[in-house]
Amino acid sequence: MSKSALIFICLAGGLIAFGVIYDAFDYFWGYGWAVDELRTILQLIIVDDDSWWPMYNAANVRLYGDGIYQTVFFEDGMKFQYPPLSILPFVIFIKIGMGWETIREFMNFISFVSILSIIGSVYYLIISVFKKFTSIENFDWKYKISFILIAIVGTFGFDAIVKAQYLGQIQVILDLCICLAFLLFLTNKKYLAGACLALAALVKPQITLLLVWAIIRKEKEVIVGMIAIFVPAGVISLYGFGFLEHVHYLESLSQMGKHGEAYWPNQSINGLLHRLISDVDPLKFPVNSYAPYNPIVYGFTIVTTVMLILLGLFCRPESGHTKAQGKTPISSSFDMATMLLLVTMASPIAWYHHYGILWPIFIAAFVVIAWQLYQRRDLLTVATAILFSLSFLLLSNRFPVLTKEQFASSPINLVQSYYLFGAFLMLAALFMLRRNLVVKSDVD
């Protein structure tokens, strides 16, 4: 146990330490964005309201009796991409007399508390995954301190989470929901895991595909947990906002999917293709418009979206092995993690802060890899460790130099999709890890 824990500390801690050293170097001799943004969020300073202002504005429009999406999205050109029910808290805030400044400070505080909750969840996740492979119930204090430091420094060093908080993004709260869902699923509290997934899906509809995944995988508890949230939420949404508002929401989703975004933080295949073949500046964010319609980009986006989703639903590297028909509790957890990664990658618009959901998955993977390296250092395990490490370095750090003018032209602007490339590396690593888990179970 102590040796596998030491391998984990060296592996995860070493990668996190590299990020800290890189950010320090960038602060003194580069751009210093990561350190400046971290310092800002630690002081609870509000810089942007990327989610809060559109949601507040949409709630005001609703209270005035106007159509949310017709007014906010189509007429005003505001990039409000959330379902109707997502603004219900803001409607309540306004109704009870809370002003805009109070609301934004409250949401900023809730978002920061979510980061602290992620830290606690990641620490408990490390302990839980180790317990899946060993009979140890209590850990030496030296290991506990190391685990706590990894959870704290790693969370505040994971760029997607820090950036989401800095932007005033609801994504941080969604990161917590996904982190809890992954932890609860792994610890066999699957009803609650399903509920957490459903709560995230109320804001990010693509996560609803996890219900399809659960049906195919016959995860009955997850199905029940998700439906237990979806049914009352659907009734409240239809009653409170009306059927037509939901139709308009689907129209806005269609508009976003048809056009996409060329701005470099859109780390999707749609964004990569726009930057590669469209005549659009990837360094400028169009506040009130999307990328121009390109039939080639749109066609490839549809095809790759379907392919990625089908890959998550039906590709099972565990198949064909004897251990519980190729399933173990930990491999099933990474199966769900794979689907979460793929629904993120498959979206036409996947901002880099959307990849914050991957932080707890990385940590769980590093624990498993550490145990596997301790047991037997075969080629598959070493290759999996390398892929996860490379992916982590790409997804947890920011490389400001790649967002400068000299990298804006095609085809060199491919390097601006480094988050997406990191996601593909992680996808390959997850499939290899899942395969390795059941192979080792058969051998053992």
Side-chain angles (χ1 to χ4, degrees):
M1 166 60 201
S2 60
K3 289 185 178 180
S4 61
L6 185 59
I7 293 172
F8 165 74
I9 292 168
C10 291
L11 178 60
L15 290 168
I16 292 168
F18 175 87
V20 172
I21 294 169
Y22 168 77
D23 286 341
F25 182 87
D26 181 61
Y27 180 74
F28 288 107
W29 294 285
Y31 300 91
W33 294 347
V35 174
D36 286 339
E37 290 174 9
L38 177 60
R39 185 167 51 197
T40 299
I41 70 166
L42 288 175
Q43 296 177 70
L44 295 180
I45 296 173
I46 302 174
V47 175
D48 205 347
D49 307 291
D50 198 46
S51 289
W52 314 136
W53 174 248
M55 297 174 104
Y56 173 79
N57 191 44
N60 267 318
V61 168
R62 177 63 185 175
L63 289 172
Y64 279 115
D66 297 326
I68 299 171
Y69 300 97
Q70 283 298 117
T71 303
V72 177
F73 186 87
F74 291 104
E75 294 178 13
D76 297 343
M78 183 175 287
K79 295 184 177 183
F80 176 68
Q81 70 258 27
Y82 305 113
L85 190 62
S86 66
I87 67 171
L88 182 59
F90 288 80
V91 172
I92 295 172
F93 294 156
I94 296 170
K95 282 276 193 180
I96 63 176
M98 291 175 65
W100 162 240
E101 289 298 329
T102 304
I103 292 173
R104 73 196 294 251
E105 288 176 6
F106 177 72
M107 295 309 300
N108 184 61
F109 175 75
I110 293 298
S111 184
F112 186 77
V113 170
S114 297
I115 294 180
L116 300 181
S117 300
I118 290 172
I119 292 171
S121 300
V122 166
Y123 170 74
Y124 187 65
L125 179 65
I126 296 169
I127 302 293
S128 300
V129 178
F130 267 119
K131 286 183 178 180
K132 289 289 181 181
F133 293 103
T134 69
S135 58
I136 303 296
E137 290 297 326
N138 295 309
F139 296 82
D140 188 274
W141 66 270
K142 291 178 291 187
Y143 292 111
K144 287 185 176 180
I145 290 176
S146 298
F147 296 161
I148 291 171
L149 286 174
I150 286 173
I152 294 173
V153 180
T155 301
F156 281 118
F158 204 82
D159 185 60
I161 295 175
V162 174
K163 189 64 177 180
Q165 176 69 14
Y166 182 82
L167 289 173
Q169 258 283 337
I170 197 172
Q171 181 63 44
V172 180
I173 299 174
L174 303 183
D175 291 343
L176 174 61
C177 289
I178 298 301
C179 181
L180 290 174
F182 183 69
L183 173 61
L184 291 165
F185 188 95
L186 188 140
T187 54
N188 207 34
K189 299 178 179 66
K190 296 184 179 181
Y191 291 108
L192 293 175
C196 287
L197 288 173
L199 287 172
L202 296 181
V203 179
K204 284 282 182 68
Q206 59 264 43
I207 297 176
T208 305
L209 288 166
L210 269 293
L211 179 60
V212 181
W213 171 87
I215 292 170
I216 294 172
R217 297 296 190 273
K218 298 179 182 179
E219 294 285 357
K220 296 178 182 179
E221 295 96 332
V222 175
I223 296 169
V224 172
M226 294 188 77
I227 291 176
I229 298 295
F230 282 151
V231 171
V235 171
I236 293 170
S237 189
L238 286 171
Y239 177 78
F241 298 96
F243 178 76
L244 189 60
E245 204 66 77
H246 293 79
V247 173
H248 290 159
Y249 174 60
L250 293 177
E251 292 172 353
S252 70
L253 287 181
S254 176
Q255 179 81 352
M256 286 184 279
K258 187 176 181 180
H259 290 266
E261 293 272 14
Y263 187 43
W264 80 266
N266 181 20
Q267 295 291 309
S268 67
I269 293 175
N270 177 282
L272 181 149
L273 290 173
H274 267 303
R275 291 187 287 274
L276 197 61
I277 66 176
S278 296
D279 186 21
V280 182
D281 187 352
L283 304 181
K284 293 182 179 179
F285 177 62
V287 178
N288 299 115
S289 65
Y290 293 90
Y293 174 71
N294 185 310
I296 297 175
V297 173
Y298 180 63
F300 269 89
T301 299
I302 293 295
V303 171
T304 54
T305 294
V306 173
M307 290 176 61
L308 289 172
I309 291 171
L310 291 178
L311 183 67
L313 291 175
F314 298 108
C315 184
R316 304 183 67 183
E318 304 92 344
S319 299
H321 291 273
T322 58
K323 182 76 173 182
Q325 293 77 51
K327 287 178 63 176
T328 63
I330 194 74
S331 70
S332 295
S333 300
F334 285 115
D335 186 4
M336 185 181 77
T338 305
M339 190 64 194
L340 285 166
L341 170 61
L342 283 166
V343 297
T344 302
M345 296 172 63
S347 300
I349 301 174
W351 299 118
Y352 60 12
H353 50 263
H354 292 174
Y355 289 96
I357 64 170
L358 302 179
W359 161 234
I361 300 170
F362 271 120
I363 281 298
F366 288 142
V367 173
V368 175
I369 290 169
W371 176 79
Q372 290 178 340
L373 289 171
Y374 169 65
Q375 293 291 313
R376 186 174 60 244
R377 298 177 187 178
D378 55 78
L379 181 61
L380 181 58
T381 302
V382 173
T384 304
I386 292 172
L387 281 181
F388 265 117
S389 298
L390 291 174
S391 173
F392 182 82
L393 291 175
L394 289 173
L395 285 162
S396 66
N397 297 294
R398 194 182 319 175
F399 304 98
V401 68
L402 299 181
T403 65
K404 296 305 174 182
E405 194 67 38
Q406 58 266 38
F407 295 100
S409 300
S410 177
I412 197 172
N413 60 22
L414 282 170
V415 299
Q416 294 180 339
S417 297
Y418 62 89
Y419 264 83
L420 180 62
F421 298 143
F424 273 112
L425 287 176
M426 185 180 189
L427 178 62
L430 279 168
F431 279 126
M432 292 167 66
L433 182 65
R434 289 164 56 188
R435 176 92 176 166
N436 209 13
L437 277 167
V438 293
V439 168
K440 288 186 181 295
S441 296
D442 286 346
V443 172
D444 294 343

